[in-house]
Amino acid sequence: MNFLRAHKVEIFIFLIAVIARVFYFGISLNYQGDLTKTMWAADGYYEVSRNIIEGHGYSADSAPPYTPYSFRPPVYHYFIAGSYFLFGGYWGVIIFQMLIGSVLPLLAMRISRFVIDSRKIAIGVGVLLALEPYSILFSSILYTETFFTFLFFLSILFLFKYFKEKIFYYSLISAFFLGLTTLVKPTAQYLPVLFALIFIWESRKNLSKKVFIYTGVYVLVFLLTISPWLYRNYREFNVIGISPQQGSALYTVLVPSVLTIENNTSFKQEFNELLNTGVAGPNQTNLVQSKEYAKRAIPILINHPAAFALLSANTALNFFIHDGMLDVLRHVGFTPNERLRKPALFILLSSPVEFFSLIKKFSTTPMVFVLLGRILWIFITVVFFAGVIRYFRHEKITPHVIIALSLVLYFMLTSLVIGLSISARYRMPVNLFIFSFATYEVLSIAALLRKKYSDKDVSVS
């Protein structure tokens, strides 16, 4: 009972997260008609996990000879297969994943307190993550984001504990979880370099041999964690690498995106023209092809600097403001028939009257949720940046703050390779930091307004 009383807020947030995810999954299941359609996603995790479960090995093939698969690293596939055997089917996999998704707000609350030591802000972060629609969606489909974010949060939590308590063991746990995170999604593979630099920066006034040893051991634990997968890829493909995703994304996603802007065409047209030359699609590229595709992509990008710069600016902006509501609605059968003639932000900035007339027009259609979602994320983005500026002006800068903001920048920069395929999923691991500074700004403004009006009341009296 003492535990329940002490953690009643956390328990409440966990419960609303569970209810939200079960409710959404139930609607999606009713619409899709069966479990496989409801949980299936386009990245091949169902197909590879199915082969593992049926004893065909780590392959995406639907029939013999079941060639080795290398496009995506193995941990999430084996998480699915392991959960399948542990809980007796894919029902158990999805229920387990939804529970993990419901734990994420609690982990985010713990991490947020290291960044900004405020109980109110931590609660705000927990509630926002519990109810954020895209997080709810990705808890119930076979994409990596929920499990990736879970391992990523554990790595960051132990890293933050290390910087606060200086217990070396915590940094080793952090490095281990970061290795597992990378073996779920290779986006995290360069983070050890960033963290190593922060290790050294944090000790800049007292640099010693010990600091460099600790930093080196952190990187070494990370490398040891991913080394079995590197060895497997070297054995199978004679290439040391985690995934061919980087080279594939550069050539099959970023290049068509740049050419779309340069040639004033559609992404589909440019993408199909590229595939017609014999290039392997984004999910079919192997490690051997990855280096070749990167070499082909870079000269094309260099030859179109204006289009590349414009695309990068658009991708960076949408990293922050993309709402993902179309995907959320599509999975429950409420795909809007309407489409905007141009991005909602452009309409809002160029013609606010038109924008609000669109809201009125779409108020009785699912499209209103897309517009409201975009407005909300524009607001969150604005108060996030305002909160960062306010924090730097008025608060003490700690390693935790530097790491938090560096991670937001890191995930934004790594998302640039996605080009026109950018979506809210690429922001999900750092939503907690965006929510933390946004809530900090909102609470700061609220406090200033309360003070202003209370002073007026005093002067009137």
Side-chain angles (χ1 to χ4, degrees):
M1 292 302 296
N2 289 336
F3 175 85
L4 294 177
R5 281 193 292 267
H7 298 90
K8 59 185 178 182
V9 174
E10 287 81 1
I11 293 171
F12 175 74
I13 290 173
F14 174 75
L15 289 176
I16 64 172
V18 170
I19 292 169
R21 282 151 180 77
V22 171
F23 179 74
Y24 180 85
F25 178 72
I27 298 174
S28 181
L29 180 63
N30 181 67
Y31 167 68
Q32 300 288 351
D34 67 65
L35 178 63
T36 301
K37 290 180 180 178
T38 304
M39 69 180 181
W40 184 88
D43 282 357
Y45 292 103
Y46 176 80
E47 289 78 6
V48 176
S49 68
R50 190 82 244 170
N51 279 333
I52 295 172
I53 291 165
E54 294 176 354
H56 302 314
Y58 194 73
S59 174
D61 294 350
S62 58
Y66 299 110
T67 55
Y69 178 75
S70 68
F71 192 75
R72 302 185 192 281
V75 167
Y76 185 58
H77 299 95
Y78 282 101
F79 162 78
I80 296 171
S83 301
Y84 180 96
F85 288 121
L86 183 63
F87 300 111
Y90 279 107
W91 271 103
V93 175
I94 291 301
I95 291 171
F96 188 32
Q97 182 167 285
M98 285 194 290
L99 289 174
I100 291 174
S102 302
V103 169
L104 293 181
L106 307 186
L107 289 174
M109 291 173 68
R110 290 283 305 276
I111 295 170
S112 179
R113 290 295 295 269
F114 283 100
V115 180
I116 305 174
D117 190 12
S118 167
R119 173 74 169 164
K120 288 183 179 179
I121 291 175
I123 292 173
V125 169
V127 171
L128 287 170
L129 280 181
L131 297 176
E132 198 273 310
Y134 223 51
S135 299
I136 294 171
L137 164 63
F138 275 79
S139 292
S140 59
I141 56 177
L142 295 183
Y143 271 125
T144 58
E145 270 62 31
T146 296
F147 193 55
F148 173 88
T149 304
F150 175 68
L151 295 174
F152 176 68
F153 278 8
L154 290 176
S155 176
I156 298 304
L157 178 61
F158 280 101
L159 184 66
F160 280 4
K161 287 171 70 70
Y162 164 75
F163 277 113
K164 183 176 182 179
E165 302 176 30
K166 295 300 181 183
I167 298 176
F168 182 54
Y169 181 68
Y170 288 153
S171 73
L172 302 185
I173 299 175
S174 171
F176 171 69
F177 278 119
L178 186 60
L180 292 181
T181 301
T182 302
L183 292 179
V184 172
K185 192 175 181 181
T187 307
Q189 63 184 307
Y190 303 114
L191 282 176
V193 177
L194 173 63
F195 293 160
L197 293 174
I198 293 175
F199 270 101
I200 296 170
W201 172 84
E202 194 267 344
S203 303
R204 63 194 180 281
K205 294 181 180 179
N206 299 291
L207 280 178
S208 64
K209 183 179 179 181
K210 183 179 179 181
V211 172
F212 289 101
I213 291 175
Y214 277 16
T215 304
V217 172
Y218 182 92
V219 175
L220 179 61
V221 170
F222 170 83
L223 292 174
L224 288 174
T225 305
I226 67 172
S227 61
W229 179 245
L230 297 178
Y231 173 73
R232 177 264 187 187
N233 286 338
Y234 178 75
R235 188 189 65 210
E236 295 286 351
F237 303 99
N238 203 31
V239 176
I240 298 176
I242 296 172
S243 166
Q245 290 184 40
Q246 187 174 41
S248 175
L250 280 171
Y251 196 45
T252 66
V253 181
L254 187 59
V255 165
S257 297
V258 168
L259 294 179
T260 296
I261 294 175
E262 184 71 24
N263 300 330
N264 195 28
T265 54
S266 69
F267 176 83
K268 183 178 181 180
Q269 178 182 337
E270 298 292 348
F271 178 73
N272 287 336
E273 285 184 10
L274 184 65
L275 292 189
N276 289 336
T277 65
V279 173
N283 289 319
Q284 284 76 44
T285 309
N286 60 45
L287 280 164
V288 177
Q289 297 166 314
S290 178
K291 192 173 181 180
E292 175 193 349
Y293 286 176
K295 286 182 178 179
R296 292 187 193 178
I298 292 172
I300 298 174
L301 300 176
I302 292 174
N303 288 334
H304 301 93
F308 179 58
L310 182 60
L311 174 69
S312 297
N314 177 75
T315 306
L317 174 64
N318 277 282
F319 172 83
F320 289 102
I321 70 170
H322 199 284
D323 52 273
M325 286 304 299
L326 278 174
D327 287 335
V328 173
L329 294 170
R330 180 170 57 83
H331 277 80
V332 291
F334 292 106
T335 305
N337 295 319
E338 307 85 357
R339 288 292 186 271
L340 299 178
R341 60 181 177 83
K342 59 182 179 179
L345 179 62
F346 293 171
I347 298 175
L348 176 61
L349 294 177
S350 62
S351 178
V353 174
E354 179 187 356
F355 183 83
F356 288 105
S357 70
L358 286 172
I359 293 180
K360 183 179 179 180
K361 176 183 176 182
F362 296 143
S363 61
T364 57
T365 73
M367 191 65 185
V368 71
F369 293 106
V370 178
L371 292 172
L372 293 176
R374 186 55 55 94
I375 292 171
L376 179 60
W377 271 105
I378 291 171
F379 172 76
I380 290 171
T381 298
V382 170
V383 293
F384 162 69
F385 282 106
V388 171
I389 294 170
R390 185 187 298 276
Y391 190 94
F392 272 77
R393 290 177 61 188
H394 299 289
E395 310 287 351
K396 180 182 177 183
I397 308 303
T398 65
H400 306 92
V401 171
I402 298 299
I403 292 171
L405 296 178
S406 296
L407 286 170
V408 174
L409 179 63
Y410 175 90
F411 278 92
M412 186 274 286
L413 291 175
T414 55
S415 73
L416 296 182
V417 73
I418 300 302
L420 294 175
S421 299
I422 187 69
S423 73
R425 67 185 287 200
Y426 299 99
R427 188 187 59 236
M428 287 175 63
V430 293
N431 274 342
L432 89 95
F433 301 125
I434 294 173
F435 287 154
S436 295
F437 285 98
T439 307
Y440 168 79
E441 176 66 11
V442 170
L443 292 179
S444 298
I445 292 173
L448 290 173
L449 291 175
R450 282 197 302 269
K451 183 177 184 302
K452 178 181 178 180
Y453 285 107
S454 64
D455 288 346
K456 283 185 177 180
D457 291 341
V458 170
S459 63
V460 171
S461 62

